[in-house]
Amino acid sequence: MVSTIRFASDDFGAEDGATVTDGAASEELHYFQVLEEAFIRLRGAPLLLSPADWRVAQRWRELGIPLDFAVAGMTEVFARRRERGSEDRVSSLRYCARAVESGWRRAEELAGPPRRSAGPALDTGARLQSLARSIPAGFPDAERIVRSVLALRGDAAAVEAALVTIDETMLERAAAHLGSEEKAELDRWLERRLDSLRERFDSDELAGAAARLRSRELRRRAKLPLLSLFSPQAETGGETTSD
């Protein structure tokens, strides 16, 4: 996917008006991470989503379901559960699949192209401000990352695509600044977590789970936000209503 985004002139070597090309694999991983974080927040407890859940997310992306629509649909599912007084925990993204997919089909039938909206238009500026405030001041290159986030311009889809690259760079910075003992401890933590997954995941799935677990734990230890317009740290930015 190619998105033209305006960056700060010193943003990780990008120049003003640069065109950023994001790999499909990175955008797919980001799409899943946003859904996973939203699901965990709605569920109220941490959970590693399964390969079957990954396939649900892949299907949503192939159907062209935007993140705002998917997250809004998931939120509605959990709201209805609360209204019914359901107390058992939901353990799979598949629980939301029917509601999200049927809602998207109805939206397509009613609105047709171009892109359907899940509801109120996102105030991208306010959300970017919230994301910028959530980046720890003492983090390496924090000022440059903040400037990069605040300099983004464009519609929500283009801004979200650019955030993928900035988020990856931020995590790379976090990994690069780990001390040898910190890195060894993170590796030991990851091995302990993977031990419980080896019988449930094949080798490819286990590798994917390892990468997601490492990124999530690295993010947690460094107190870093998920740089997405749909992350909890961005949502405090609020929304505006559409005309």
Side-chain angles (χ1 to χ4, degrees), residues 91-106:
S91 59
S92 174
L93 190 64
R94 288 171 289 176
Y95 184 84
C96 303
R98 178 178 295 180
V100 171
E101 292 170 20
S102 62
W104 182 244
R105 285 194 296 271
R106 289 194 299 272

Side-chain angles (χ1 to χ4, degrees), residues 86-165:
S86 300
E87 296 182 357
D88 54 314
R89 285 206 188 277
V90 178
S91 59
S92 174
L93 190 64
R94 288 171 289 176
Y95 184 84
C96 303
R98 178 178 295 180
V100 171
E101 292 170 20
S102 62
W104 182 244
R105 285 194 296 271
R106 289 194 299 272
E108 287 188 305
E109 291 169 359
L110 291 172
R115 177 188 180 281
R116 275 63 53 180
S117 172
L122 294 176
D123 185 341
T124 57
R127 289 186 174 229
L128 290 172
Q129 289 279 350
S130 293
L131 285 176
R133 288 193 298 268
S134 70
I135 297 169
F139 182 74
D141 288 334
E143 290 185 6
R144 295 183 70 192
I145 295 171
V146 166
R147 286 198 301 270
S148 299
V149 169
L150 294 179
L152 295 179
R153 300 291 186 271
D155 62 21
V159 169
E160 185 71 9
L163 284 171
V164 175
T165 300

Side-chain angles (χ1 to χ4, degrees), residues 182-192 214 221:
E182 290 174 311
K183 184 179 183 301
E185 201 285 321
L186 178 59
D187 290 341
R188 290 192 293 270
W189 175 90
L190 182 60
E191 281 302 311
R192 290 194 298 270
R214 179 182 289 277
R221 294 184 184 204

Side-chain angles (χ1 to χ4, degrees), residues 36-94:
E36 188 171 51
E37 290 295 326
F39 183 83
I40 290 170
R41 175 170 51 84
L42 291 166
R43 183 176 184 265
L47 179 73
L48 178 67
L49 296 185
S50 70
D53 294 312
W54 180 275
R55 288 190 286 273
V56 169
Q58 284 181 315
R59 184 169 70 245
W60 290 359
R61 191 164 185 268
E62 290 167 359
L63 289 170
I65 300 178
L67 278 168
D68 61 344
F69 194 98
V71 172
M74 292 162 58
T75 302
E76 184 177 351
V77 168
F78 276 84
R80 289 177 179 174
R81 279 177 54 80
R82 288 193 298 272
E83 290 173 1
R84 295 196 303 268
S86 300
E87 296 182 357
D88 54 314
R89 285 206 188 277
V90 178
S91 59
S92 174
L93 190 64
R94 288 171 289 176

